[in-house]
């Protein structure tokens, strides 16, 4: 059974059951209250009748006495302790059948006050027994029986009315169940239809449930849209990775293949060709490795790259990054940091970002590189990387963060390997993930300055923690000696 049919069926049955329970409760409550009220009224009338009979018993014959006080719709009799009637029972009802039923009622002596509901021939009546002292001193039971046919007729009318009302109330209930089922199933049907469209067309789509925020169905639609956005992003990254890899790896592979063929043909006979081919193959291999690493980093899902936000000393991170970079490339790096500057960020991602900027500065300049840390306290933290290379023209500056954009025609590099154009794009992604704003300023022939503006955060209280000068001097410069050692 479909969900819509289940909701329609279950809600209709539940409403019908609740309506039936309400109608039955109303009927039973009304019946009990009416019978209790009628029984009380009959008891009061029976006590008055018994009192009058007791007062007149010494002056009037029993048969005449009963005829005088017989109820219009019932029977009156006086029962002796031995179970016989003092006089012939008297019925004053015009209903012959009722009179016959009441007259045929067996005698039963009751020494105490009692009221009971009886039924005979499908008709109900109430009998009230009242003990009286007869003039001869004997205690007799005056029994007054009254028909409750009128009340039972009202009960039948009420029963009919409740049944009709229940049937009429079921009509809007059924319609409401239909509306409810359609309202609940609509976003689910939209979800199913959207998934079917995605499967057939291969294009990612989102749904609009039309539900108010906070509703479970709206939450389902929002979660589905977030999932679709995540899948679309992952799919786009995969497509971009395949496209970028096929586009960028084609050139170095072609160069390697060409020089390998040249080596095979002439490498043994011509040493100069051998040296040229090996250098080119090595250069392209390094470039391909760097390109592959950058492509894999860019293809990673942001959700898979969890941030570990901790209190980080930018001065210390800058010093460690400069030392590691100097060891790797032997370039002179000057670090300017007058005091510790703490921020709340991911230290590993900041170092990765610094390595990208330092590597970019290394490729496009031969002079020293300056790394400056400022801010802290009430001032926003900033970290700046400055190279003294040929610089970037004003027209090309807005494009440097685009994927695969290179300005090789205007910037010379000291390295033989060509850049992939992915470094600054990856740096931009890392900065966005960390909430860092990147500002780049450059002048042709003067150099380039890249400034990282860190978001304001509550500065951690470091107490009297000493700043480790063995890691980072207040103002230092690192260089590598010819023997391969390090000297500050």
């Amino acid at each position: 059974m479909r969900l819509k049919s289940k909701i329609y069926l279950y809600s209709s049955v539940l409403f019908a059951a609740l309506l039936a329970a309400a109608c039955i409760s109303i009927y039973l409550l009304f019946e009990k209250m009416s019978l209790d009220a009628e029984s009380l009224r009959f008891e009061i009338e029976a006590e008055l009748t018994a009192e009058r009979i007791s007062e007149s018993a010494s002056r009037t014959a029993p048969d005449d006495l009963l005829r005088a006080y017989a109820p219009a719709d019932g029977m009156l009799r006086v029962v002796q302790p031995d179970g016989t009637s003092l006089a012939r029972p008297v019925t004053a009802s015009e209903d012959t059948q009722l009179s016959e039923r009441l007259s045929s009622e067996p005698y039963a002596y009751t020494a105490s006050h009692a009221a009971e509901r009886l039924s005979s021939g499908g008709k109900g009546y109430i009998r009230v027994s009242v003990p009286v002292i007869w003039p001869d001193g004997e205690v007799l039971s005056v029994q007054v029986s009254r028909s409750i046919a009128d009340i039972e007729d009202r009960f039948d009318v009420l029963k009919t009315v409740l049944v009709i009302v229940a049937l009429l109330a079921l009509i809007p209930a059924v319609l409401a169940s239909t509306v409810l089922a359609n309202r609940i199933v609509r976003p689910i049907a939209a979800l199913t239809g959207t998934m079917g469209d995605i499967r057939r067309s291969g294009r990612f789509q989102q749904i609009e449930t039309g539900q108010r925020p906070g509703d479970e169905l709206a939450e389902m639609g929002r979660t589905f849209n977030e999932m679709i956005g995540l899948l679309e992003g992952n799919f786009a990254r995969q497509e971009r990775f395949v496209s970028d890899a096929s586009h960028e790896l084609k050139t170095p592979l072609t160069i390697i293949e060409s020089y390998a063929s040249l080596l095979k043909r002439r490498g043994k006979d011509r040493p100069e060709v051998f040296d040229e081919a090996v250098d080119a193959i090595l250069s392209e291999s390094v470039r391909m490795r760097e390109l592959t690493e950058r492509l894999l980093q860019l293809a990673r899902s942001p959700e898979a790259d969890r941030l570990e936000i901790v209190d980080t000393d930018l001065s210390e991170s800058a010093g460690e990054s400069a030392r590691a970079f100097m060891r790797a490339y032997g370039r002179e790096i000057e670090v300017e940091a007058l005091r510790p500057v703490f921020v709340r960020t991911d230290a590993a991602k900041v170092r990765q970002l610094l390595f990208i900027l330092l590597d970019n500065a290394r490729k496009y300049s031969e002079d020293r590189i300056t790394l400056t840390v400022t801010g802290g306290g009430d001032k926003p933290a900033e970290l700046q990387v400055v190279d003294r290379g040929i610089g970037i023209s004003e027209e090309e500056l807005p494009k440097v963060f685009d994927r695969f954009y290179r300005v090789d025609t205007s910037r010379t590099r000291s390295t033989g390997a060509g850049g992939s154009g992915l470094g600054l794009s990856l740096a931009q992604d890392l900065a966005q993930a960390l909430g860092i704003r990147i500002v780049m300023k450059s002048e042709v022939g003067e150099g380039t300055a890249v400034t990282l503006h860190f978001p304001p955060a509550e500065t951690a209280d470091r107490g009297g923690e000493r700043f480790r000068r063995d890691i980072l001097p207040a103002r230092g410069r690192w260089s590598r000696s010819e023997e391969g050692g390090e000297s500050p």
Side-chain angles (χ1 to χ4, degrees):
M1 184 183 296
R2 298 179 65 85
L3 179 61
K4 181 179 180 180
S5 302
K6 288 182 179 180
I7 296 174
Y8 172 77
L9 177 62
Y10 293 160
S11 58
S12 299
V13 171
L14 178 60
F15 186 84
L18 293 176
L19 189 61
C23 291
I24 293 173
S25 301
I26 292 173
Y27 177 81
L28 294 177
L29 181 62
F30 180 80
E31 181 184 38
K32 184 179 185 304
M33 293 176 61
S34 299
L35 289 176
D36 290 345
E38 194 72 8
S39 177
L40 180 61
R41 185 173 68 85
F42 286 176
E43 289 181 28
I44 295 173
E45 292 179 359
E47 290 176 355
L48 292 174
T49 300
E51 182 180 353
R52 291 170 183 172
I53 290 175
S54 176
E55 293 175 353
S56 304
S58 60
R59 301 188 302 270
T60 308
D63 292 339
D64 296 336
L65 188 63
L66 295 182
R67 279 195 296 270
Y69 291 102
D73 55 349
M75 179 187 70
L76 177 62
R77 69 185 182 185
V78 178
V79 181
Q80 301 180 91
D82 60 0
T84 60
S85 177
L86 180 65
R88 185 173 179 273
V90 177
T91 58
S93 176
E94 297 179 356
D95 189 347
T96 306
Q97 294 181 354
L98 176 62
S99 300
E100 292 178 354
R101 288 195 299 271
L102 294 177
S103 299
S104 61
E105 181 183 343
Y107 295 99
Y109 176 77
T110 304
S112 60
H113 188 285
E116 53 186 335
R117 181 184 175 188
L118 303 173
S119 178
S120 177
K123 300 293 183 179
Y125 60 94
I126 296 176
R127 184 176 68 192
V128 180
S129 300
V130 181
V132 296
I133 300 175
W134 212 249
D136 59 1
E138 188 177 20
V139 178
L140 304 181
S141 178
V142 177
Q143 297 181 352
V144 182
S145 300
R146 300 285 297 270
S147 173
I148 55 173
D150 293 342
I151 298 178
E152 289 181 336
D153 291 341
R154 290 198 293 270
F155 290 163
D156 293 337
V157 172
L158 176 62
K159 190 185 300 181
T160 303
V161 170
L162 289 176
V163 170
I164 294 174
V165 170
L167 293 177
L168 292 177
L170 278 177
I171 297 176
V174 171
L175 295 177
S177 300
T178 304
V179 173
L180 176 64
N182 290 333
R183 185 175 181 82
I184 294 177
V185 173
R186 186 184 302 118
I188 300 176
L191 181 65
T192 306
T194 302
M195 289 189 292
D197 293 341
I198 293 174
R199 182 187 59 191
R200 288 188 296 270
S201 64
R203 296 191 303 271
F204 292 98
Q205 303 177 30
Q206 296 189 349
I207 61 171
E208 291 293 337
T209 60
Q211 303 292 325
R212 294 181 178 179
D215 188 280
E216 286 80 1
L217 296 175
E219 184 69 17
M220 180 191 68
R222 185 186 65 81
T223 305
F224 175 80
N225 290 337
E226 289 179 354
M227 181 192 67
I228 288 297
L230 179 62
L231 292 176
E232 187 174 10
N234 290 336
F235 185 76
R237 275 188 294 273
Q238 291 178 6
E239 281 193 328
R240 188 170 59 185
F241 174 78
V242 173
S243 175
D244 293 346
S246 61
H247 176 267
E248 293 298 317
L249 293 177
K250 185 184 298 182
T251 300
L253 288 175
T254 303
I255 294 174
I256 291 174
E257 182 183 5
S258 301
Y259 276 101
S261 300
L262 181 62
L263 277 176
K264 186 176 181 180
R265 295 195 310 269
R266 304 178 182 176
K268 296 179 181 180
D269 303 328
R270 301 177 61 180
E272 68 278 7
V273 173
F274 179 86
D275 293 338
E276 178 187 355
V278 170
D279 290 341
I281 291 175
L282 178 60
S283 174
E284 292 300 320
S285 298
V286 172
R287 177 170 176 253
M288 190 165 60
R289 176 180 57 79
E290 294 178 350
L291 176 63
T292 304
E293 291 176 355
R294 297 279 171 83
L295 285 173
L296 290 174
Q297 285 180 315
L298 287 172
R300 290 183 62 186
S301 169
E303 292 76 13
D305 214 3
R306 302 298 180 187
L307 298 178
E308 296 182 4
I309 304 299
V310 296
D311 290 335
T312 303
D313 183 358
L314 288 183
S315 299
E316 183 176 331
S317 296
E320 292 177 349
S321 300
R323 292 186 64 181
F325 198 83
M326 180 270 296
R327 292 192 192 100
Y329 296 101
R331 289 294 300 272
E332 181 183 355
I333 300 178
E334 184 180 37
V335 179
E336 297 179 357
L338 300 179
R339 62 188 180 90
V341 177
F342 290 99
V343 294
R344 294 280 297 173
T345 188
D346 189 316
K349 295 293 186 297
V350 170
R351 285 195 293 269
Q352 184 180 1
L353 181 57
L354 277 177
F355 267 86
I356 293 174
L357 298 180
L358 290 174
D359 185 60
N360 202 64
R362 172 189 66 85
K363 291 179 180 178
Y364 296 101
S365 68
E366 297 181 356
D367 202 347
R368 71 179 184 277
I369 301 170
T370 303
L371 197 55
T372 306
V373 181
T374 58
D378 297 333
K379 297 181 179 180
E382 295 181 359
L383 197 155
Q384 188 178 63
V385 179
V386 179
D387 69 63
R388 295 164 180 79
I390 195 171
I392 308 173
S393 65
E394 186 177 354
E395 297 79 15
E396 293 178 322
L397 196 60
K399 306 175 185 178
V400 294
F401 291 103
D402 295 343
R403 294 166 61 83
F404 298 112
Y405 183 79
R406 290 184 293 237
V407 290
D408 296 352
T409 56
S410 61
R411 300 180 75 192
T412 60
R413 297 189 295 271
S414 60
T415 59
S420 62
L422 292 174
L424 291 179
S425 177
L426 178 58
Q428 182 81 330
D429 292 343
L430 288 172
Q432 289 178 355
L434 296 172
I436 298 172
R437 184 167 59 94
I438 301 181
V439 176
M440 178 178 287
K441 296 181 179 180
S442 183
E443 293 184 12
V444 177
E446 297 293 331
T448 303
V450 181
T451 306
L452 303 180
H453 297 269
F454 287 81
E458 183 179 356
T459 304
D461 183 13
R462 294 294 168 175
E465 181 181 2
R466 293 178 58 191
F467 185 42
R468 292 179 291 174
R469 299 179 62 87
D470 57 329
I471 294 180
L472 177 65
R475 180 179 177 87
R477 178 180 299 176
W478 286 269
S479 62
R480 174 170 297 189
S481 65
E482 295 181 357
E483 289 80 11
E486 298 177 23
S487 60

